[in-house]
């Protein structure tokens, strides 16, 4: 069985003046990312989203494992550039609607079904390239929840969202099966 791990980036520095894709990890997020490498079997391949927060996480993990990592843009978080930064009082209801209405673009965001399809295709493609190796995917909680729904063959739902930033789950991409639920990296 090929064991893969989906890791969502930990806490970030939220700066409304900076593009969301360019937000980096906070000091607490960097500390949490440093603990990730010790919690998982050493995969032979690490693939990260191209967003700064995921790259920061992958860089820390790869540094501890003394290995390189790759970047794949298709692992990116749902495209929410139509709104950019939203205050939490607007962001949370928008995310709720994103998950509740996966066939609809909420406030111009990428539709959940499209983000799910994009991430699923990327994971399948990457896993097929190295079926004999475990892979750590370093990305985001929102699209991780969409991937988890696909792996469980369940409807898209916010109930499958990560418990907190810096969470992970394991899966078998060959059987397309989730092997765990989200676990928060402490």
């Amino acid at each position: 069985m090929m064991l893969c791990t989906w890791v969502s980036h930990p806490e970030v520095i939220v700066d409304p003046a900076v593009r969301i894709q360019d937000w980096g990890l906070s000091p607490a997020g960097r500390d949490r990312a440093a603990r990730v490498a010790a919690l998982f079997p050493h995969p032979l391949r690490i693939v990260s989203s191209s967003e700064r927060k995921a790259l920061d996480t992958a860089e820390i993990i790869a540094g501890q494992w003394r290995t390189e990592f790759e970047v794949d843009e298709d692992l990116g978080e749902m495209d929410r550039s139509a709104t950019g930064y939203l205050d939490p009082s607007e962001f949370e209801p928008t995310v709720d609607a994103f998950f509740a209405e996966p066939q609809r673009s909420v406030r111009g965001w990428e539709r959940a079904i499209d983000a799910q399809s994009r991430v699923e295709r990327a994971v399948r493609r990457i896993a097929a390239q190295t079926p004999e190796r475990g892979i750590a995917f370093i990305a985001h909680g929102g699209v991780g929840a969409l991937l988890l729904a696909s792996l469980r063959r369940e409807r898209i739902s916010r109930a499958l969202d990560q418990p907190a930033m810096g969470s992970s789950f394991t899966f078998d991409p060959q059987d397309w099966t989730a092997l765990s639920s989200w676990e928060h990296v402490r």
Side-chain angles (χ1 to χ4, degrees), residues 36-101:
V36 169
L39 299 176
F40 302 106
H42 185 298
L44 298 178
R45 189 172 183 196
I46 301 170
V47 185
S48 173
S49 158
S50 63
E51 295 179 35
R52 177 83 264 145
K53 49 201 163 217
L55 292 170
D56 288 353
T57 305
E59 185 175 284
I60 291 167
I61 293 169
Q64 288 191 351
W65 284 335
R66 292 186 173 85
T67 190
E68 300 295 318
F69 68 91
E70 304 162 51
V71 177
D72 192 302
E73 292 197 16
D74 288 336
L75 297 176
E77 185 63 286
M78 65 275 221
D79 180 356
R80 53 188 209 201
S81 57
T83 60
Y85 171 80
L86 292 175
D87 181 84
S89 65
E90 284 185 89
F91 178 73
E92 291 302 324
T94 305
V95 173
D96 287 342
F98 170 83
F99 281 103
E101 301 177 68

Side-chain angles (χ1 to χ4, degrees), residues 1-5 41 43 131 133-136 170-174 179:
M1 172 175 37
M2 180 183 190
L3 178 67
C4 290
T5 305
R133 299 199 256 167
I135 303 169
T170 57
F171 64 99
D172 179 345
Q174 293 166 327
L179 301 174

Side-chain angles (χ1 to χ4, degrees), residues 9-58:
H9 64 79
E11 297 84 355
V12 299
I13 297 172
V14 176
D15 184 348
V18 174
R19 284 181 346 132
I20 295 165
Q21 299 88 332
D22 296 329
W23 289 352
L25 294 182
S26 69
R30 289 189 164 282
D31 289 344
R32 188 176 315 283
R35 292 192 294 276
V36 169
L39 299 176
F40 302 106
H42 185 298
L44 298 178
R45 189 172 183 196
I46 301 170
V47 185
S48 173
S49 158
S50 63
E51 295 179 35
R52 177 83 264 145
K53 49 201 163 217
L55 292 170
D56 288 353
T57 305

Side-chain angles (χ1 to χ4, degrees), residues 97-106 110-114 146 155-157:
F98 170 83
F99 281 103
E101 301 177 68
Q103 305 272 351
R104 183 173 82 87
S105 173
V106 178
E110 179 179 24
R111 297 182 318 162
I113 58 167
D114 296 331
L146 300 174
R155 289 184 50 231
I156 291 173
S157 166

